[in-house]
């Protein structure tokens, strides 16, 4: 879990995380060439926030004043901690491995490579309702389709469909795993042909599924 997520946890866990970073920096202060004043300021403010947190934990003594004091101390501490971690990142004497061990963001973010052209053929299924046809895409090794494809190696899927008595294909893009086609009353009884293909964010398509023929109800 990264620094940002840890600081958004419950107050006690956020304090424990910051305190642990202080301890690590104190143990390696000479090796990492950490400025004494910076670390002392962060440690002192951590102690203040910890005491305010402990005072507010006591239900018999908790009141508006203790709550405000705790919130203000934590807010000030998190702001200073953010500045301190930026200092650690800029201090090249602190190894990259140490930053990772302390859950501090890396100096260099991993390169993001564009998704390749899909090579997998999607599974196509449809569900017919009055005046509409719901088109579903799924991966052959992932069972039933879910709500979106953000966590999958695809941007979405391309749907091509046409009326049986017409030639041109109609193309639609969906970034989810379901797409609904709506039809007018005069289309009832007409047959459509459709198939789908995965696409990457550049809308480059993979292999097309087998075509399905359906009558509009």
């Amino acid at each position: 879990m990264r620094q940002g997520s840890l600081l958004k946890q419950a107050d006690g866990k956020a304090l424990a995380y910051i305190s642990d970073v202080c301890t690590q920096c104190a143990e390696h202060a000479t090796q990492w060439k950490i400025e004494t004043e910076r670390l002392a300021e962060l440690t002192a403010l951590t102690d203040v926030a910890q005491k305010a947190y402990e005072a507010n934990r006591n239900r018999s003594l908790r009141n508006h004043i203790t709550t405000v004091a705790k919130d203000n101390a934590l807010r000030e501490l998190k702001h200073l901690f953010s500045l301190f971690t930026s200092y650690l990142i800029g201090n090249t004497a602190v190894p990259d491995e140490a930053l990772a061990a302390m859950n501090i963001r890396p100096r260099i973010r991993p390169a993001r490579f564009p998704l390749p052209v899909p090579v997998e053929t999607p599974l196509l299924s449809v569900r017919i309702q009055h005046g509409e046809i719901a088109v579903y895409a799924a991966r052959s090794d992932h069972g039933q389709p879910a709500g979106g494809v953000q966590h999958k190696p695809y941007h979405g899927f391309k749907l091509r469909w046409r009326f049986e008595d017409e030639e041109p294909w109609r193309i639609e893009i969906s970034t989810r795993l379901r797409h609904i086609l709506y039809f007018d009353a005069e289309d009832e009884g007409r047959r459509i042909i459709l198939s789908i293909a995965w696409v990457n964010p550049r809308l480059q398509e993979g292999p097309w599924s087998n075509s399905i023929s359906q009558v509009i109800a």
Side-chain angles (χ1 to χ4, degrees), residues 101-116:
M102 292 185 290
N103 292 300
I104 295 174
R105 66 184 185 277
R107 293 186 173 95
I108 301 176
R109 297 186 180 276
R112 298 183 65 181
F113 299 98
L115 291 176

Side-chain angles (χ1 to χ4, degrees), residues 126-134 136 178 180-181 183 215-217:
V126 299
R127 183 165 56 91
I128 303 173
Q129 298 182 18
H130 181 66
E132 66 183 50
I133 295 179
Y136 294 90
R178 184 184 71 163
I180 299 180
L181 297 173
F183 298 95
V215 176
I216 301 171

Side-chain angles (χ1 to χ4, degrees), residues 15 18-19 29 41 54 84 103-105 126 133 155 176 201 208:
L15 277 168
I18 295 175
S19 179
E41 183 182 12
E54 294 295 339
F84 184 79
N103 292 300
I104 295 174
R105 66 184 185 277
V126 299
I133 295 179
H155 175 68
R176 299 182 64 82
W208 289 93

Side-chain angles (χ1 to χ4, degrees), residues 13 21 33 35 38 62 67 78 85 91 103 106 132 135 143 151-153 172 193 211:
K13 291 184 178 180
V21 172
K33 300 179 180 179
E35 296 177 8
R38 287 180 182 270
R62 182 187 306 167
T67 300
K78 289 179 180 180
T85 54
N91 179 1
N103 292 300
E132 66 183 50
V135 181
H151 62 293
K152 299 183 183 301
E172 302 191 35
I193 301 172
S211 297

Side-chain angles (χ1 to χ4, degrees), residues 161-199:
W161 69 275
R162 64 179 176 84
F163 289 107
E164 189 178 41
D165 56 352
E166 295 180 353
E167 272 306 314
W169 287 103
R170 309 185 191 203
I171 302 295
E172 302 191 35
I173 302 292
S174 174
T175 57
R176 299 182 64 82
L177 295 177
R178 184 184 71 163
H179 185 73
I180 299 180
L181 297 173
Y182 297 95
F183 298 95
D184 298 324
E186 55 267 27
D187 293 324
E188 187 172 340
R190 299 183 71 181
R191 182 177 293 275
I192 69 168
I193 301 172
L194 48 86
S195 63
I196 59 174
W198 295 121
V199 293

Side-chain angles (χ1 to χ4, degrees), residues 2-19 21-22 41-50 53 69-87 104-105:
R2 286 296 178 191
Q3 168 191 333
S5 298
L6 287 165
L7 292 179
K8 291 177 182 178
Q9 289 193 347
D11 294 340
K13 291 184 178 180
L15 277 168
Y17 166 60
I18 295 175
S19 179
V21 172
C22 288
E41 183 182 12
L42 179 64
T43 302
L45 195 53
T46 301
D47 291 340
V48 171
Q50 185 68 44
Y53 169 73
K70 182 263 298 181
D71 290 344
N72 289 341
L74 277 166
R75 187 181 305 110
E76 186 177 356
L77 174 61
K78 289 179 180 180
H79 174 69
L80 182 62
F81 184 71
S82 177
L83 297 176
F84 184 79
T85 54
S86 295
Y87 158 72
I104 295 174
R105 66 184 185 277

